[in-house]
Amino acid sequence: RIAQVMASVAASLARAPLAPTEFNASGNTTQSVRFHFEEPEGRVSHFVLAARSVNENFYRQRVAISDDGGRISPQKLGFNPGDSFYISVASVDRQGHESLFAYPEVRCDATTCAIPSYANDVTAPLPMPPPPPPDHDNDDD
C-alpha cells in the first residue's frame, strides 16, 4: 500500500505544472500582504496561495488567487491581523494537478514580510566515500 501511495504521488507530481519562481512578498500582517512571482511556462490554469502559522508544519489555508493585484488580507488566509505566518504559491493545471510550492517560503509578521535568512541553508552532508577495495595483490609468486 505504501508503494502504491508513493507511485500515485510521483505520478501526480510528474503530471503537474512547474512551480512558480521568484516568489516574494511585502507588507505586513496587520493590513495586507502583497505578493509577486514569476509564472512558469506551460499549462497553468490558476495559482494557489497557501499559509501556515509559524508554529505549524502544514498549510492550514489555501486560496485560489486571480489577478487581484497580488494583495491578500490575513483574514482571507485564516489568520487574525498581526499573526505571524509563512506563505507560498503553487501552480495548478486544468486537470487539477498541483505543482510543488515555491521555495523559499516568505515569513510575514506584524511589521514586515521577508525570506528568512536560513531559508537557503539546505545543504546536506556529503555521504562517506566507499572504503577502498581489498588488496588482492599477492607478491608470494
Side-chain angles (χ1 to χ4, degrees):
R1 290 182 192 184
I2 292 172
Q4 288 175 330
V5 169
M6 292 175 62
S8 175
V9 168
S12 180
L13 287 173
R15 292 183 187 108
L18 295 174
T21 58
E22 304 297 322
F23 177 69
N24 210 334
S26 59
N28 60 58
T29 63
T30 57
Q31 297 172 352
S32 67
V33 173
R34 183 175 195 91
F35 57 89
H36 57 276
F37 55 89
E38 294 294 321
E39 294 183 16
E41 291 184 24
R43 57 197 201 295
V44 176
S45 170
H46 64 279
F47 298 93
V48 174
L49 192 69
R52 67 180 179 91
S53 165
V54 295
N55 299 319
E56 296 174 320
N57 293 325
F58 299 102
Y59 293 122
R60 79 160 66 159
Q61 186 75 4
R62 300 160 51 86
V63 178
I65 55 175
S66 59
D67 190 17
D68 56 2
R71 187 177 297 270
I72 195 163
S73 70
Q75 295 91 334
K76 192 167 183 182
L77 292 170
F79 293 94
N80 294 317
D83 287 352
S84 297
F85 54 82
Y86 289 98
I87 61 172
S88 190
V89 66
S91 306
V92 182
D93 68 12
R94 293 188 197 285
Q95 289 77 34
H97 299 116
E98 187 174 301
S99 73
L100 296 173
F101 279 89
Y103 188 84
E105 298 174 303
V106 177
R107 185 182 195 279
C108 295
D109 59 30
T111 58
T112 190
C113 290
I115 296 173
S117 60
Y118 54 82
N120 291 320
D121 187 18
V122 292
T123 58
L126 293 173
M128 294 291 294
D135 186 14
H136 293 297
D137 192 21
N138 290 333
D139 292 36
D140 297 328
D141 294 338

